Amino acid sequence: MVDFELLLKYFSGQAVPEEAMQVEDFAAAAPDQYAYFKSLHESWMAAGGEHYELPDVRKEWELFRQKHVIHKVIQKPVHDTLFKRVGIAAALLLLVALPGYFLLNPRTDQQKLVAAGTADSLLLLKDGTRVTLSPHATLSYPGMFTEVSREVTLSGDAFFEVSAHPELPFIIHLPHELQVYVTGTSFTIRQRPAEVVIDLKEGHVLFFNPTDTLRLTAGNTGSYLVTKKTFLLQQIAPLTGSFNFTNASLEAVARQLNQHFQVHIQLQNAALAHCQFSAGFEGQTLNEILEAISATFNLNYTIENKNIYINGTACH
Amino acid sequence: MNNEDQIETLFNAHYEALHRYAFTIVKDADEAKDIVQSVFLNVWEKRQAISINTSAKSYLFRSVYNQSINHLKKDAARIQQNALLAREMIPETPEHSEEETQELIKQKINNILDQLPPQCRQVFVKSRAERKKYTEIAAEMGIAVKTVEAHMTHALKLIRKILRVLVVVLCLITDLNICYGGF
């Protein structure tokens, strides 16, 4: 139920988005409620000498559609396009390291690279994006990208290094109505009957289907389970890290290491928590860092999966 | 469903609500139209990144809110007229929570009930407390719907006046001497 006062608050233009949604949901819930809502709004307007009229939604949609939805693809005279396509193909053939072959479809603007053979095929797209196709993978892409997006279709596995064009998203269409949306990053797509997996090296990627979206950030792996139709995020802990500790307590050091490497360091002796540690680490592994700490304070440690137990008597 | 179908569905489902929301803030129907078109254009351009589920609705409402407030900011004088805007512009002000503001409004409305002529008060109470439609109230009280409308307008006129004062008082309490009511 929506409070009367909330309705007034809404009418007077003081409602935050969440409240506005509540009010509009209330209005839309049943014809009776809608009638009540509309007449109250009218009275409110009249009370201030104002007037409100709903626009014709159909008209507004047509306006919107005409202006923005009708695709604007660069049109070129036919012979030019043919020449360009041959030109692109020629340039690309030089870069293809290993067997793959092109299918040129003269009727549409789409081209296809089918990776044959037993090794990878490297493809350089017009925008500078590099795609390494695994054997038997197929990438379908247009001769020219549109003004709004760069769209390709992939079946099989590939490693993408998408060139950065923030205003021009790169969209990969996959089976099962899946799409991958990036602006400029590098990642691997692996497709299996039961799942589709994306391994993200850098940047971020949107991996989605009509109902769900998974946002991947660097270092993560996302998978889509085909039968369950759900997305899963697998977080991979980094292998190395850089830290600068200046008179940091071992407790604080442990906390930072825990967070970065996704482990659980436990100081078995409570006295150890206050040992002061100063050291800089540049791209070191967890083990290297633990070694350094142990050496400094004459401690020892044991690792059991994600748990690390540090033992010792006191700080020396 | 292709992208055009999806955006059309969104458009048809939410246009009315979004236009009305924009209008309540900017108080201009044409400006509200521009804002809603602009919000949908934004969604359309980012269409691959926004899935059609409940989050799209929040995104739309939030966008309308942002663009509407931005429009008000263009007219510096307007800042005085909208308490929402004033809150946005001056972050350090001790904010009344939304619930507190509503409570205050509720109290004020209760207070004015006594100031309403009897039949007007009856109509207003039926609308506010019993959520009755105007046609129902008219039938129950044996008066014309037009009379109900007139009573409601009268009551709301009073409320708008009081709420304007309330916002001013709130502003004074919170030391915001540049804001005064948009009610």
Side-chain angles (χ1 to χ4, degrees), chain B:
Chain B
M1 245 210 294
N2 67 20
N3 288 318
E4 181 176 340
D5 288 339
Q6 287 176 319
I7 193 89
E8 185 173 359
T9 304
L10 261 189
F11 201 95
N12 288 328
H14 301 299
Y15 187 91
E16 179 181 327
L18 294 171
H19 183 267
R20 188 162 36 229
Y21 184 34
F23 178 84
T24 60
I25 299 177
V26 301
K27 306 213 193 295
D28 181 308
D30 285 330
E31 186 55 47
K33 268 194 210 171
D34 288 344
I35 288 173
V36 179
Q37 287 268 343
S38 168
V39 165
F40 272 104
L41 175 61
N42 202 25
V43 171
W44 175 244
E45 285 178 340
K46 295 195 171 85
R47 63 191 177 276
Q48 308 296 354
I50 298 171
S51 39
I52 312 301
N53 54 27
T54 47
S55 69
K57 186 165 144 193
S58 316
Y59 182 89
L60 287 170
F61 272 83
R62 186 137 275 280
S63 294
V64 163
Y65 169 80
N66 287 334
Q67 291 211 27
S68 302
I69 295 291
N70 282 341
H71 174 76
L72 290 185
K73 283 178 187 165
K74 288 184 198 152
D75 188 351
R78 304 270 215 116
I79 295 173
Q80 296 180 353
Q81 294 168 26
N82 189 305
L84 256 185
L85 191 55
R87 273 209 299 251
E88 290 262 317
M89 304 288 278
I90 300 157
E92 323 85 48
T93 53
E95 283 178 17
H96 276 257
S97 71
E98 305 302 337
E99 296 80 43
E100 285 175 320
T101 315
Q102 254 178 263
E103 257 315 299
L104 272 161
I105 298 174
K106 208 178 272 193
Q107 282 170 33
K108 289 294 166 188
I109 295 182
N110 284 333
N111 291 343
I112 68 142
L113 283 182
D114 298 325
Q115 297 175 40
L116 297 175
Q119 198 179 66
C120 184
R121 176 167 62 239
Q122 231 187 327
V123 165
F124 183 69
V125 167
K126 281 191 192 287
S127 173
R128 177 200 190 200
E130 299 169 45
R131 304 306 185 91
K132 295 222 160 86
K133 289 186 304 194
Y134 292 1
T135 43
E136 287 174 313
I137 300 175
E140 274 180 30
M141 293 176 62
I143 53 179
V145 175
K146 280 272 180 258
T147 313
V148 175
E149 281 171 11
H151 282 317
M152 283 303 293
T153 304
H154 180 248
L156 289 171
K157 225 184 245 176
L158 214 64
I159 291 177
R160 284 182 77 147
K161 215 184 281 179
I162 302 237
L163 289 178
R164 200 174 291 130
V165 173
L166 172 67
V167 172
V168 172
V169 171
L170 272 178
C171 288
L172 289 177
I173 290 172
T174 56
D175 210 19
L176 267 181
N177 54 10
I178 72 148
C179 75
Y180 78 90
F183 283 82

Side-chain angles (χ1 to χ4, degrees), chain A residues 9 13 17 20-21 34 53 55-57 78-79 90 99 112 119 122 137 146 156 187-188 222-223 227 258-259 287 299:
Chain A
K9 195 178 176 201
M21 280 195 284
Y34 186 73
E53 214 177 276
D56 184 334
V57 183
V78 177
H79 58 275
K112 238 179 180 160
L122 177 62
T146 70
F187 54 92
T188 306
S223 33
T227 28
N258 283 343
Q259 202 207 37
N287 265 311
L299 309 168

